[in-house]
Amino acid sequence: MSQQGAVLQGYNNELIKCLEDLSDKRDRLHKEILEEEEEKQHIQNDIRILTERLAQVNESLARKIAARNDFDQTIAETKAAYKKIMESSQSLLHVLKRESGQLKERSKMLMSDGRGERASEKPPLQDGTL
């Protein structure tokens, strides 16, 4: 029986060693799980912070894009109005030059008139004026 006791003792020692190895592996795995769960919490917190920041940036972008669009519209309207003003100024200048030329011509005619007639007795010009 002592031989059987020695064999049983060997089995017992081997079983204890296997259990200790399994327990060590379990403890290492548990430690890795805890570390990864902590990392997961950090990542989730980072995601929450980044999601909030993304929402803030999107809101800011929307406001700035709307403001830029308002600027674009104002610039376009101002340019169109300025173009009309320039066209009107050009037309006015053309009319003023034409009228000035006609007045100069009339003035020359009045000055060179040697007959002594008054300006109201002059025949009308092309446009029907005196």
Side-chain angles (χ1 to χ4, degrees):
M1 277 265 200
S2 73
Q3 188 177 10
Q4 283 180 340
V7 170
L8 283 175
Q9 185 64 36
Y11 287 150
N12 187 39
N13 289 342
E14 192 175 327
L15 181 61
I16 290 173
K17 182 166 177 18
C18 284
L19 284 173
E20 286 175 353
D21 287 345
L22 287 175
S23 182
D24 287 344
K25 287 180 182 179
R26 184 219 174 264
D27 289 344
R28 284 192 303 266
L29 184 59
H30 180 70
K31 183 180 176 186
E32 289 176 10
I33 288 170
L34 291 176
E35 289 171 356
E36 287 188 11
E37 284 178 345
E38 185 177 342
E39 182 182 5
K40 176 184 170 185
Q41 288 297 329
H42 287 295
I43 291 170
Q44 286 176 329
N45 188 48
D46 290 347
I47 289 172
R48 181 187 56 78
I49 291 169
L50 289 173
T51 300
E52 289 172 3
R53 181 67 182 128
L54 179 62
Q56 293 170 349
V57 168
N58 281 335
E59 289 173 12
S60 176
L61 276 172
R63 286 190 305 272
K64 288 178 181 178
I65 288 171
R68 183 189 63 192
N69 291 343
D70 289 344
F71 277 111
D72 289 344
Q73 182 177 355
T74 300
I75 289 168
E77 290 171 356
T78 303
K79 283 182 176 180
Y82 180 73
K83 182 179 177 185
K84 286 181 181 180
I85 290 170
M86 292 303 293
E87 290 170 353
S88 295
S89 295
Q90 189 175 16
S91 295
L92 180 60
L93 181 61
H94 178 71
V95 168
L96 184 61
K97 284 181 179 180
R98 186 184 71 221
E99 292 294 322
S100 177
Q102 288 177 356
L103 287 174
K104 283 181 185 178
E105 193 62 36
R106 265 192 238 155
S107 179
K108 283 182 185 178
M109 288 176 64
L110 288 174
M111 297 292 242
S112 65
D113 185 11
R115 295 179 289 175
E117 296 177 345
R118 293 188 321 205
S120 61
E121 298 173 349
K122 284 289 211 184
L125 295 177
Q126 293 174 351
D127 64 353
T129 61
L130 293 176

